[in-house]
Amino acid sequence: MVERFNATLVTQLAKYCEEDQHDWDEWVPYMLMAYHAVEHEAMGFTPSRLMFGREICLPVYLATRKPLDEGLPVSHTKYVWTLQCRIEETRHRTIQHLKIAGQAMGRWYNEQARDAVYSPGDQVWFHNPCKRPGKSPKLQSPWEGPYTVVERISAVTYRITPAGSSRRTKVVHVDRLWRHSGKGVFTWGPRVSDHDSNSDIVGVTARRIVTVTLVW
């Protein structure tokens, strides 16, 4: 569980830290606050609710004046009893949500599973998680490109070449390829405006504030 959370944290830090990776530690508090305040899709609750039995108060509440969803009891005994009942109810509901989410995920995967097929001339990203001197491999993007598909050798292997070059080719497995949809367009997210100079290359830090749903 801890390793899964670390992977999620590193993924988010890689999206926001500078290219030289010198400021990654400054983003940790913001990433943790966002993680604790976002409802997990599979469990149906935020980590704060699961851990403390209540939601955390965010700075945005000062501007929106969003009312809290609970009132504090007058006596300490009543507060402890209320908190205990809330945590117990949250635990039972989380177990039900996880069971339903697991079944739905299995059905969705079986329905959506398709063989990836590329044709000569298609633009693709190439997954190449190599280490670069002076940089942490966890905070750098493993995707390179775009590359151009030169030949489909078999059902699972392709010959690709860097865009604009026809001499340097490499044979790779299809699992290491991802379709490139053009400048400012990604197959895993919404379209980014053309004036955003950081949107055409995977791995360049995006300096935009986006809402991300984290799945634990």
Side-chain angles (χ1 to χ4, degrees):
M1 185 180 298
V2 174
E3 292 298 329
R4 184 65 189 90
F5 166 74
N6 289 340
T8 299
L9 179 61
V10 169
T11 300
Q12 298 307 311
L13 290 176
K15 296 179 182 295
Y16 286 91
C17 69
E18 294 289 351
E19 189 174 1
D20 57 13
Q21 302 181 355
H22 289 167
D23 65 337
W24 67 269
D25 56 325
E26 299 177 4
W27 289 96
V28 172
Y30 303 103
M31 297 296 103
L32 292 178
M33 181 179 66
Y35 184 85
H36 292 155
V38 174
E39 178 180 306
H40 286 195
E41 182 179 0
M43 295 183 295
F45 296 97
T46 65
S48 177
R49 178 65 179 266
L50 295 173
M51 183 67 183
F52 305 110
R54 61 179 178 83
E55 305 293 349
I56 62 176
C57 296
L58 299 176
V60 70
Y61 292 169
L62 298 177
T64 62
R65 296 185 178 181
K66 179 181 178 180
L68 297 177
D69 59 351
E70 61 182 65
L72 295 178
V74 178
S75 63
H76 297 287
T77 303
K78 185 177 180 181
Y79 174 77
V80 173
W81 179 81
T82 303
L83 181 62
Q84 182 179 1
C85 293
R86 188 186 305 121
I87 292 177
E88 187 67 19
E89 178 186 0
T90 301
R91 185 179 71 87
H92 287 296
R93 292 176 61 184
T94 300
I95 294 176
Q96 297 175 359
H97 288 167
L98 288 175
K99 184 181 299 184
I100 296 175
Q103 296 173 352
M105 188 177 301
R107 290 195 303 267
W108 181 88
Y109 179 83
N110 293 332
E111 293 174 358
Q112 300 297 325
R114 299 290 188 276
D115 293 335
V117 178
Y118 304 99
S119 302
D122 289 347
Q123 300 290 306
V124 294
W125 296 109
F126 172 54
H127 188 266
N128 186 25
C130 61
K131 294 184 178 180
R132 295 177 175 84
K135 293 186 178 181
S136 170
K138 291 185 178 181
L139 297 179
Q140 69 186 21
S141 174
W143 295 96
E144 296 179 355
Y147 282 76
T148 302
V149 176
V150 177
E151 177 187 3
R152 183 187 184 189
I153 301 176
S154 68
V156 294
T157 55
Y158 286 82
R159 188 184 305 276
I160 62 174
T161 182
S165 174
S166 59
R167 296 183 178 181
R168 296 186 303 161
T169 63
K170 58 181 67 178
V171 177
V172 298
H173 194 277
V174 66
D175 288 345
R176 301 181 65 183
L177 301 178
W178 192 288
R179 187 176 302 279
H180 179 269
S181 300
K183 181 179 179 180
V185 181
F186 301 99
T187 55
W188 59 84
R191 180 178 179 83
V192 181
S193 58
D194 294 335
H195 69 271
D196 190 345
S197 60
N198 295 336
S199 63
D200 56 348
I201 300 177
V202 172
V204 178
T205 304
R207 309 309 301 167
R208 309 183 306 276
I209 301 300
V210 297
T211 302
V212 180
T213 302
L214 303 178
V215 179
W216 183 18

